[in-house]
Amino acid sequence: MNAEEEEALFFSSPISFSHRTSKEMLAYAVGAALYMPATRPHIADDILQRKHEGLTTIVIDLEDAVGDEQVEFAEQCLSQQLGLITDYMEAGKLHTNDMPLLFVRMRSPEQLEHLIEMLGERISLLTGVVLPKFSCENGRAYLQLVHQYNQQKDHSHPLLYAMPILETAEVIYRESRWQTLMDLKQIVDEYAPYVLNIRIGATDFSSLFGLRRSPELTIYDIATIRDCIADIVNLFGRADQGYVISGPVWEYFSQRERVFKPQLRQTPFEESLGKTGRNLRMKYITNSMDGLMREVMMDKENGIVGKTIIHPTQIKPVQAMYVVTHEEFMDAQGIITRNDGSLGVFKSTYTNKMNEIKPHLSWAKRILIRSQIYGVLHEQQHFVGLLPKHEQTYVSYS
C-alpha cells in the first residue's frame, strides 16, 4: 500500500512496532501469526525480501510441524536461519523495524533449555517462545526458564516472552476443566510480566473427540470447543487481569464444494471495490476465506485478538478485520475523554447508541490500543478496502 492509498483509507494510520515495543502493545500486535516448520529453508531470505506483504508475526514450529525423527535437523535449521538474519542485520541489509515478530514453538522445557544455550546471542532476535500443551506438569518449568533467561540476559537485549497454548485433555474435559484452569492461571500469574498471550489450541481439543470443523463453520459451532473457550475467556479474559487471548488456528486455504450459503455479504465488496470487489469476494468464498473471516469476527466479539494461520494469503484478511472503525474509535475516545466524573452517559457521535462511561471504559481502553496497532478507518471506509485486490497463487507452505 502506497502513501496515497493509506491516506485515503485511514483516519489514523497504524504505528510501527518491533519486539522492543512495550508488552501492552505487543500483546495486541501479534495478530495473524503465520506458522512455518523449522525445517523450511528460506525463512531468513523471505524476511529479507519481504516476500509476504503485511506479515507481522512468524511462529517457527519445532513441534507438530516437525516429524519426531527431524527434531535435531529442525533445531539446526532454526539456528542457521537466525544466523543468516544476524548476518543480514550486521551487513545493514535488514533492520530491526523491518523484522516481523519471531517466535519459536517448543516441544518441551528440556528443549527450551537446550535452545537457549545453543542459540546464544541469536535468541535476542526472538520476541518469544510458544509453549504447546501447557499444563500443570510442564507450565512452571517452561515459565521458570523464561524468567531465568530474562533475569540473566544482557541488558541491551529485549525481553523474551512466552505464549502458552491451552490444549490438553484436562482443560477440555468438563470434570477437570475449571480446577485445571485455576491451577494454570496461578502458574501464569506468577510469571505475568513475561506472558504475552494466552493461546487456544482447538485442533488438539477437537482431536480428543475425533472432531474436525468444516471450512464452512467456525470453531464456535463445535459445542464442546465453544464451551471450553467460554471458560478460558471467563477466567483469563477478565478486564482487570490484563491477559490477551488469541484465537485457534484456521487450517483451511482451499475449498471446492459448498453446502451452505457464503458468509460474506456482497454490498461491502461492491461499494468498496466495484467489479474488482465482486471478483475478490468470489475468490475468498472459493478459498474458504469467508469461514475464516466469520471466525475472526466471532473471536473479536468474545474478546479474543490474534489468530494462528497456516498460509500467507490469510494474513491480510485477518489483519484487516482488526482495524478499528471510525465509529468504534469515536465512541472509545469519547468515553476516555469524558471519564472525569462529570457525566455517566452520553449520546454517541454517530447518534445511534448511548455510551455509558463506567461500563464501557475497559472496552474503550482496548479499542484505543488496537487503534494504534492496526489503525482507524475513515468514516466511509470498510475493512474490505484493505484486502488484496490481485489474484494470489495458493501453494503448499510446508
Side-chain angles (χ1 to χ4, degrees), residues 333-343 357-358 361 365:
Q333 190 177 58
I335 289 165
I336 297 294
T337 56
R338 288 173 172 84
N339 183 36
D340 58 5
S342 61
L343 283 176
I357 294 172
K358 288 183 179 179
L361 187 60
K365 290 177 179 177

Side-chain angles (χ1 to χ4, degrees), residues 1 108 389:
M1 182 184 299
S108 66
K389 303 173 183 63

Side-chain angles (χ1 to χ4, degrees), residues 212-222 250 252 254-264 285-295:
R212 187 175 191 178
R213 74 179 178 282
S214 156
E216 296 179 61
L217 301 175
T218 74
I219 202 65
Y220 297 94
D221 293 307
I222 309 300
W250 182 263
Y252 294 97
S254 184
Q255 175 178 305
R256 294 186 178 180
E257 296 182 2
R258 303 187 65 90
V259 175
F260 300 110
K261 289 183 178 180
Q263 301 178 66
L264 293 177
I285 290 168
T286 302
N287 291 296
S288 300
M289 291 292 189
D290 59 324
L292 167 61
M293 293 164 80
R294 170 73 176 174
E295 187 163 295

Side-chain angles (χ1 to χ4, degrees), residues 35-42 65 253 310-312 395-398:
Y35 268 53
M36 298 181 181
T39 51
R40 183 170 173 79
H42 305 300
F253 56 85
I310 50 88
H311 199 279
V395 296
S396 171
Y397 212 68
S398 60

